[in-house]
Amino acid sequence: MEASDYALEAAQAPDRSLLARIWNAYRVRRNAARMRNIAQDMEPHMLDDVGAPQWLINEASVRRDLSRLRPIDYIRW
């Protein structure tokens, strides 16, 4: 499950107040952003070794590939 699935599941809980559901959705989103920031500096193989979710490994590898491209590379295409 992705972070958005957990947020939707928690937001649909009938026994929670609106403020509690909003706070829980905010915490899930904040934790996912923290994981993205931490994974930005790690290699995909290392993330796989520590058991990171596949969506995080994919985003980290895309960010690493995009950071390697320079503006001159776009001109060549």
Side-chain angles (χ1 to χ4, degrees), residues 31-57:
N31 287 339
R34 284 182 180 172
M35 286 179 24
R36 283 187 193 98
N37 289 339
I38 291 170
Q40 184 176 357
D41 299 330
M42 299 176 76
E43 294 184 11
H45 296 293
M46 188 181 298
L47 288 170
D48 194 30
D49 289 343
V50 298
Q54 191 62 38
W55 66 267
L56 184 61
I57 296 171

Side-chain angles (χ1 to χ4, degrees), residues 2-21:
E2 291 185 20
S4 62
D5 294 336
Y6 290 116
L8 288 176
E9 186 176 304
Q12 294 172 352
D15 59 341
R16 290 187 171 178
S17 68
L18 177 64
L19 185 60
R21 288 184 282 165

